[in-house]
Amino acid sequence: VQLQASGGGLVQAGGSLRLSCTASGFTLDYYAIGWFRQVPGREREAVGCIRADNRDAYYSDSVTGRFAISRDDAKNTVYLQMNSLKPEDTAVYLCTAAPRQGRCSMVPEAYPRGLWGQGTQVTVSS
C-alpha cells in the first residue's frame, strides 16, 4: 500500500505544473485525498482535498482560484493542477488518503500515518 506524488520541478513565477498522486496496492475510489505542502522549519500546510463521493474539492485561501484537484479513478490517480505559481508556493508537496465519505479534511491529523506518499519538490523562481 503506497502513495507516490510526482510531477514537481522548477518553474518560473506565473507558470504551471501538474502534480500526480498515484496509488499502488489499493484503489482510491473510496478514499478522500488531501494535498499538503511543507517548507523546512514550518508546519505542514493544507493545499486542498477532494471527496471520495461526489468529487467536490476544497482549497486553502492561499491557492483558491489558482489550483485545482481532480481524480481519474481509471488511472488510480489524483491530480493537483497548479497555475499562476508564486515563489511562496515553493515547498515539498505531499498527498495523503483517508477512507471516508463526506467532506474531506484539511487537517493532516485526519489522515492515517501510513497513507502519506513521498513528496515532490516544487520550486518557483521569481
Side-chain angles (χ1 to χ4, degrees):
V1 174
Q2 190 174 7
L3 284 172
Q4 179 67 53
S6 62
L10 173 64
V11 63
Q12 288 190 328
S16 298
L17 280 175
R18 188 178 77 162
L19 305 186
S20 299
C21 176
T22 302
S24 57
F26 70 108
T27 58
L28 291 177
D29 296 30
Y30 302 105
Y31 285 76
I33 305 299
W35 281 99
F36 293 82
R37 63 189 182 186
Q38 189 152 28
V39 175
R42 293 175 59 179
E43 295 285 326
R44 191 164 290 185
E45 177 189 7
V47 175
C49 64
I50 187 166
R51 294 171 60 144
D53 47 8
N54 65 6
R55 297 341 195 207
D56 281 352
Y58 308 91
Y59 304 94
S60 66
D61 290 344
S62 60
V63 307
T64 295
R66 300 187 298 122
F67 290 12
I69 300 173
S70 61
R71 53 196 306 160
D72 185 338
D73 290 339
K75 295 183 178 180
N76 213 26
T77 298
V78 173
Y79 301 102
L80 176 65
Q81 178 67 44
M82 306 187 296
N83 300 323
S84 302
L85 282 161
K86 305 175 181 179
E88 51 263 44
D89 293 320
T90 296
V92 173
Y93 283 71
L94 307 104
C95 61
T96 181
R100 63 187 295 166
Q101 301 295 307
R103 189 177 178 113
C104 49
S105 176
M106 303 271 274
V107 176
E109 290 77 13
Y111 294 85
R113 188 172 296 179
L115 283 178
W116 285 84
Q118 295 276 351
T120 186
Q121 176 71 47
V122 171
T123 303
V124 184
S125 63
S126 56

